Amino acid sequence: QVRLVESGGGLVQAGGSLRLSCQASGRTFATSGMGWFRQAPGKGRELVSVFDWLGGEYYVDSVKGRFTISRDKLKNTVDLQMNSLKPEDTAVYYCGAGNGALRVDGRNKEPNYWGKGTLVTVSS
């Protein structure tokens, strides 16, 4: 049974940092098959960061230069280092994993598996 468990969320002041981690179990995913998504209050879920099908790092424009994704394939984890956090980063952050790459040729793919999410709250 595949499980994705996120950790590292919390309350932080604007300008602060948090590091999210996602532990996968039940199977090993390709590097391009794991990524981070978020859902802010009243909004839909959006892709935040993944490794694309060629191994490059992809970030949504609003987090470029502030967030960094990393992957430890041996540990089967994917982390998201979030710096210079802003109130608009407040959201539930989800780890997603897919049977294939989550971003191919500029197109996002829907994960097959989801974690339960971890709440990140950034105060102003």
Side-chain angles (χ1 to χ4, degrees):
Q1 180 181 358
V2 173
R3 288 188 68 204
L4 303 175
V5 179
E6 304 96 338
S7 61
L11 173 64
V12 64
Q13 288 188 329
S17 298
L18 284 174
R19 187 177 183 88
L20 305 183
S21 185
C22 173
Q23 175 71 62
S25 60
R27 60 166 284 187
T28 300
F29 293 95
T31 294
S32 61
M34 295 186 73
W36 286 95
F37 301 74
R38 68 184 179 186
Q39 186 166 16
K43 296 187 177 180
R45 191 176 298 186
E46 68 169 348
L47 173 62
V48 177
S49 181
V50 294
F51 291 97
D52 68 21
W53 66 312
L54 297 176
E57 297 174 17
Y58 169 82
Y59 300 93
V60 67
D61 285 347
S62 59
V63 308
K64 283 181 181 176
R66 301 187 296 120
F67 290 12
T68 304
I69 191 171
S70 60
R71 173 88 165 101
D72 188 326
K73 198 167 182 181
L74 288 178
K75 294 182 179 179
N76 212 12
T77 59
V78 61
D79 290 357
L80 187 68
Q81 177 66 42
M82 307 187 295
N83 298 328
S84 302
L85 282 160
K86 303 175 180 180
E88 51 264 43
D89 294 317
T90 295
V92 178
Y93 284 72
Y94 297 91
C95 177
N99 295 326
L102 295 182
R103 185 168 172 88
V104 178
D105 199 21
R107 298 176 182 175
N108 299 337
K109 303 294 184 181
E110 185 74 5
N112 300 100
Y113 309 96
W114 292 100
K116 293 184 178 181
T118 185
L119 177 63
V120 171
T121 303
V122 184
S123 63
S124 57

